[in-house]
Amino acid sequence: MSDQYGFQEPRSQSAPEERGESLGALIGRYWVLFRRFYWVLILTSIACVAAAYFWTDRQPRIYQATSKLIFHESRPNVFGKQFERVELVDPGGRWQFEQFWNTQKEVLGSKWFARRVVEREGLLDAPGFLPASAQQLDEDERMKRAVNTLQSVAVYSLQRDSRVGLIQVRYEDPELAARIADGISETYVEYIREFQTGGLRQLANWFDDYVSTKREELDQASSELQKYQRDNNILSHSFEDRREMAAEGLASVSEQHREVQARLFAEEALLNQLENMESSGEDLRALGDLVDSPALKRGLDRESELLERRAELTTRYLDEYPEVRAVDEQLAVVRQSIDEEIGRIRSAVANRAAVTRRNTESLQDEIERHKAEIAELNQIGFRYTEMRDSTETLRLHYESVLGRTNELDLNALYESEIIQVLENADVPSSPISPQVPLNLAVGLLLGLFVGGSIMVLIDALDTTVKTEDHVTKYTSRPILGMLPAVNASAVKGVEKFGVSALDTLTHTAPRSSFAEAIKTLRTNLMFMAPDNPPHVLLMTSPGPGEGKTLTSVNMAIALAQSGQRTLVIDSDMRRPRVHKALGMDNKVGLSEAIAGERPFTECVRPTGIENLEVMTCGPVPPNPSELLQTERFRKLVRDLRDNYDRVIFDSPPLAAVSDALVLSHSADVVLLILKFGQTRQELLRRSIEQLESIGAPFGGTVLNDIDENAGYGYAYYYRYRYDEPGDAPSKKGGKMAS
């Protein structure tokens, strides 16, 4: 049936995301909260201001006395460039002064300094400084309390953009406050002078002892140096000459050693090559290319000539020819000479290699001797240099410390005035605390904050339906109508059919804003499926008292005014109300028609409004749900469809009974009536889930009883209203009949 009238099936996905309110809507919302609960702000503000006043009145009067200290920058050195000025307390320049002040503030706030002030000013016996009960305590305990009291009443700060320190004492006795402030300033200046002078004297005494110690160390070091020179025959000039000669001798021998070693490498290489040639069977005549031997070269040349001569002869004669044999004999003699020369060369190479090796070893021994001599001289020289440098360092250190001692002695005689009392404290004439205007202002702000918090909490705890987002959060079905709230006093002069003129306002005041809203609902409903508008409408709500009957009757009137033959049926057979709205009795009606006791034509009655008839509930049956599920009821609905253009069922609420769910299967569209500021969102969610779970043709919702001054953007809909001549205007706070 839902598809027939253009309604989509229930969505399976989750509800759309909640959209945040715009800034304008949020401001309007809280403006409405203020208009509704402004008395909360007034009450909390009055209560907090009164509490602040009474609290302030009970506080003791506190007076503040202020003394000032000035911190001079470091002065030029009065002793000149020859001596250094020593300042143990140096406020420093612009960038260092802040760190200096933070340090001195810790000194001023310390228990040690507070005890010194108490002792100097005799505050233990000062009247009013300690409570009378403290006089019974021993002196140590009284001193602890006095120190704690002084630390709690004194405040230390810097005057802005200056080098002036402020000592502020806040106390109930103005004269004692001034006395304490001056006592702190003077005690601090005394402490700084003692620290500067006493510290310098202590340093000077320490330096005197240190100088004596260093003098003894210097004398002992000088004696040890002289003894070492005597023991090692060290005279500065002769010692340096010995070291230089030893170094030159080492350099000369090292150079000779390198040259001899090079020759040794060459001879050994040649000898190794000869041995390799012998072992591999190579022709040793190749030595002619390796060594410079004229005899060997001549023998090889002669052998070559004889071989050429023999080769020439053998081309003509046999080997036995006399000339050939003479050449062979000469070759044998030459070759024997070559072999003998090669033997002499090999022996000469071996002899030279052996001699060169012995020379190398001899030079190496000489090098080691020179190195040992140089090492011994270096050891003596290192120790001598070490002792000489140590003695010189001690002498320079002694002279430096001696000069510093003289400077400290001179500084100790000079009294610095780098920190002074700039201004003594005046006895205050008026208290600084409590500050009545400030405390009252704080009380007012606190009251406004508490009141605002209460208002916001009330709004946060309100989970009723008040905006379109509250509805669209749970369903995609549209809000088909928004009905404004109408003050009952505004319709006193309007004709009424039943107990309230509101129930038939669309007929009696057709140009009112409420009637226009009903007509808008009618138009929206009909245009949901313009080719086949819904025939049977079911009006229900999540809970009771949310305007189902009011909307059903006025909707029926609007449909009748459009020329459609309309029947409104009171299907709430537990708490029927349609008959009261139209000023009728409830003797006959729906229950009898379903039970078959009367035909439906006898149960339908005219209302006095053209095209509109009504079927009241009739006698209340004991089993309404069972009656609505019978075949007779379904036949009744079919008969009503044939006889009327539009049929509207006013059903019970969904949260109470299941009658509306049963009726929904006989309807073409179900409208869920919601009451602004009353219908709970959770109840709305459950009602929508109930309708969607059974596949009811849920068409949308109607939000009624909307206060146009409630914010939330509803004033836009009702800014232009149609008032009948003589109609009183709507007022805030109106209530609708249910």
Side-chain angles (χ1 to χ4, degrees):
M1 187 177 293
S2 62
D3 291 340
Q4 179 183 355
Y5 291 97
F7 304 122
Q8 299 177 354
E9 290 300 323
R11 298 176 307 165
S12 60
Q13 64 267 30
S14 59
E17 291 186 7
E18 184 176 1
R19 295 169 292 176
E21 294 182 83
S22 65
L23 179 61
L26 192 63
I27 294 175
R29 174 182 174 183
Y30 285 107
W31 171 246
V32 172
L33 274 179
F34 171 75
R35 293 181 60 183
R36 289 176 61 192
F37 301 108
Y38 68 91
W39 53 271
V40 175
L41 287 177
I42 294 175
L43 290 179
T44 55
S45 299
I46 291 175
C48 290
V49 168
Y53 174 78
F54 287 114
W55 179 84
T56 302
D57 188 59
R58 299 184 62 181
Q59 300 305 305
R61 274 33 181 181
I62 305 298
Y63 296 85
Q64 177 175 287
T66 304
S67 63
K68 298 181 179 180
L69 294 171
I70 184 168
F71 299 85
H72 298 288
E73 289 193 32
S74 299
R75 298 175 181 177
N77 190 354
V78 297
F79 302 126
K81 296 182 179 179
Q82 187 175 2
F83 290 95
E84 181 181 355
R85 177 77 178 104
V86 179
E87 292 284 359
L88 297 183
V89 180
D90 184 7
R94 176 180 180 183
W95 306 111
Q96 297 83 14
F97 180 67
E98 182 178 357
Q99 182 180 8
F100 171 82
W101 168 251
N102 290 333
T103 303
Q104 297 308 304
K105 189 162 67 171
E106 293 296 323
V107 173
L108 290 167
S110 65
K111 291 184 179 294
W112 166 84
F113 184 79
R115 184 184 184 95
R116 182 166 178 166
V117 174
V118 170
E119 292 174 348
R120 183 184 185 278
E121 297 298 320
L123 295 179
L124 283 179
D125 300 322
F129 185 72
L130 291 177
S133 59
Q135 302 302 324
Q136 308 299 324
L137 303 174
D138 57 35
E139 186 173 353
D140 290 341
E141 188 62 29
R142 289 170 59 206
M143 178 59 74
K144 289 181 182 178
R145 294 200 177 186
V147 167
N148 292 335
T149 301
L150 182 61
Q151 287 180 310
S152 64
V153 301
V155 178
Y156 309 101
S157 61
L158 272 180
Q159 189 166 298
R160 185 177 179 84
D161 297 330
S162 72
R163 299 173 68 90
V164 175
L166 304 179
I167 299 176
Q168 298 171 326
V169 176
R170 298 167 183 174
Y171 204 68
E172 299 176 19
D173 185 343
E175 294 183 357
L176 190 55
R179 175 182 170 186
I180 294 173
D182 289 340
I184 293 174
S185 299
E186 293 169 2
T187 303
Y188 178 71
V189 172
E190 289 178 1
Y191 155 72
I192 293 298
R193 289 175 181 170
E194 291 176 5
F195 183 81
Q196 174 75 13
T197 304
L200 288 174
R201 287 175 181 168
Q202 184 178 3
L203 282 175
N205 293 333
W206 183 86
F207 266 90
D208 288 340
D209 295 338
Y210 189 71
V211 166
S212 298
T213 302
K214 291 302 172 185
R215 175 75 256 185
E216 294 176 359
E217 292 179 2
L218 178 60
D219 292 343
Q220 183 179 356
S222 298
S223 299
E224 291 178 355
L225 178 61
Q226 293 174 4
K227 182 177 182 301
Y228 188 79
Q229 286 178 310
R230 289 195 302 269
D231 293 344
N232 292 278
N233 193 22
I234 297 176
L235 298 175
S236 298
H237 180 68
S238 62
F239 178 73
E240 293 299 331
D241 289 344
R242 286 170 59 191
R243 293 180 64 179
E244 185 176 351
M245 290 171 62
E248 291 176 355
L250 176 62
S252 176
V253 173
S254 297
E255 180 65 26
Q256 296 176 24
H257 180 268
R258 284 194 294 273
E259 294 176 358
V260 173
Q261 195 169 32
R263 292 198 302 271
L264 175 62
F265 289 158
E267 298 296 341
E268 286 183 342
L270 181 57
L271 182 61
N272 289 334
Q273 189 168 4
L274 288 173
E275 292 175 351
N276 291 334
M277 292 174 69
E278 289 178 352
S279 61
S280 61
E282 294 183 19
D283 189 0
L284 294 180
R285 289 177 176 79
L287 285 175
D289 297 330
L290 300 177
V291 297
D292 185 16
S293 177
L296 179 59
K297 287 183 179 180
R298 287 194 300 270
L300 292 175
D301 292 341
R302 180 59 180 165
E303 182 185 31
S304 180
E305 292 174 0
L306 291 173
L307 288 174
E308 290 178 2
R309 176 64 178 163
R310 187 179 186 282
E312 181 183 351
L313 291 173
T314 54
T315 58
R316 293 180 293 171
Y317 307 106
L318 297 175
D319 291 340
E320 298 299 327
Y321 189 72
E323 289 187 18
V324 174
R325 293 183 63 186
V327 170
D328 288 338
E329 291 175 359
Q330 291 177 11
L331 276 175
V333 172
V334 170
R335 285 174 178 169
Q336 182 178 0
S337 176
I338 289 173
D339 291 338
E340 291 175 354
E341 184 62 26
I342 290 174
R344 285 194 297 272
I345 291 173
R346 187 181 185 287
S347 298
V349 170
N351 291 335
R352 288 198 303 272
V355 172
T356 305
R357 188 177 298 107
R358 287 194 296 271
N359 291 339
T360 302
E361 293 173 356
S362 176
L363 289 173
Q364 183 64 39
D365 293 340
E366 187 69 15
I367 289 174
E368 295 299 328
R369 185 182 65 80
H370 280 287
K371 285 183 177 180
E373 181 182 0
I374 290 174
E376 181 181 2
L377 290 174
N378 285 340
Q379 184 176 6
I380 295 173
F382 176 77
R383 178 59 179 161
Y384 167 73
T385 303
E386 182 181 25
M387 294 178 68
R388 183 190 62 189
D389 292 345
S390 177
T391 303
E392 182 63 18
T393 302
L394 282 172
R395 185 185 64 79
L396 294 175
H397 186 60
Y398 168 76
E399 292 176 355
S400 174
V401 173
L402 182 61
R404 195 61 175 166
T405 302
N406 294 332
E407 292 177 3
L408 288 173
D409 290 338
L410 185 60
N411 276 277
L413 299 175
Y414 176 77
E415 292 187 359
S416 174
E417 296 292 341
I418 199 167
I419 300 176
Q420 294 176 313
V421 176
L422 178 64
E423 184 179 296
N424 288 322
D426 295 328
V427 177
S429 58
S430 58
I432 64 165
S433 177
Q435 300 181 24
V436 178
L438 177 61
N439 291 348
L440 294 182
V442 171
L444 177 61
L445 292 176
L446 180 61
L448 293 174
F449 174 76
V450 172
S453 300
I454 293 175
M455 291 168 53
V456 171
L457 181 62
I458 292 174
D459 181 65
L461 295 177
D462 185 3
T463 59
T464 58
V465 175
K466 296 186 290 296
T467 68
E468 182 179 355
D469 289 341
H470 292 163
V471 178
T472 57
K473 182 166 59 174
Y474 303 111
T475 180
S476 61
R477 301 293 190 264
I479 298 179
L480 296 173
M482 295 185 180
L483 309 182
V486 180
N487 196 321
S489 62
V491 293
K492 285 184 179 179
V494 179
E495 178 188 0
K496 60 181 180 179
F497 283 60
V499 295
S500 174
L502 296 176
D503 292 324
T504 55
L505 193 61
T506 303
H507 174 70
T508 55
R511 296 178 58 193
S512 64
S513 60
F514 180 82
E516 291 299 325
I518 288 291
K519 293 173 184 178
T520 300
L521 171 61
R522 176 193 67 190
T523 302
N524 292 339
L525 186 62
M526 294 299 104
F527 274 92
M528 288 180 66
D531 295 332
N532 186 20
H535 198 164
V536 179
L537 286 71
L538 174 65
M539 302 289 188
T540 186
S541 66
E546 294 178 336
K548 299 184 309 301
T549 302
L550 173 69
T551 306
S552 298
V553 173
N554 280 278
M555 183 63 180
I557 293 173
L559 290 171
Q561 288 176 346
S562 66
Q564 302 178 55
R565 189 170 179 231
T566 306
L567 174 65
V568 58
I569 302 175
D570 191 349
S571 57
D572 187 350
M573 291 185 286
R574 302 172 190 273
R575 296 179 60 186
R577 189 184 169 279
V578 173
H579 65 283
K580 296 180 181 179
L582 294 174
M584 298 180 176
D585 58 58
N586 194 29
K587 295 180 180 179
V588 297
L590 178 63
S591 60
E592 292 181 325
I594 297 175
E597 297 177 3
R598 296 174 184 268
F600 81 89
T601 54
E602 295 182 7
C603 298
V604 174
R605 290 180 284 176
T607 61
I609 299 174
E610 186 179 0
N611 294 326
L612 178 62
E613 295 180 350
V614 63
M615 180 184 292
T616 60
C617 170
V620 176
N623 55 345
S625 296
E626 287 75 3
L627 289 177
L628 295 175
Q629 297 183 58
T630 61
E631 181 59 32
R632 285 193 298 272
F633 174 72
R634 287 190 284 273
K635 182 178 182 305
L636 172 63
V637 174
R638 289 194 295 272
D639 293 340
L640 294 177
R641 285 177 180 272
D642 295 337
N643 287 273
Y644 292 93
D645 297 325
R646 299 288 180 267
V647 178
I648 298 178
F649 282 95
D650 179 24
S651 71
L654 289 166
V657 292
S658 61
D659 295 6
L661 297 176
V662 176
L663 286 168
S664 66
H665 292 291
S666 300
D668 298 333
V669 63
V670 177
L671 297 185
L672 194 60
I673 311 301
L674 312 175
K675 189 168 185 178
F676 178 88
Q678 176 176 321
T679 302
R680 299 288 176 184
Q681 295 183 36
E682 177 61 22
L683 196 57
L684 167 64
R685 182 188 65 79
R686 291 203 300 266
S687 299
I688 293 174
E689 288 179 353
Q690 285 180 296
L691 292 173
E692 292 184 343
S693 65
I694 65 170
F698 177 39
T701 57
V702 178
L703 185 60
N704 71 12
D705 201 19
I706 299 174
D707 183 0
E708 64 180 89
N709 296 316
Y712 305 103
Y714 293 118
Y716 169 80
Y717 296 102
Y718 311 117
R719 192 166 296 155
Y720 183 79
R721 57 173 292 161
Y722 295 89
D723 289 327
E724 291 275 346
D727 287 350
S730 295
K731 296 181 181 179
K732 180 184 176 183
K735 298 293 181 183
M736 276 192 169
S738 298

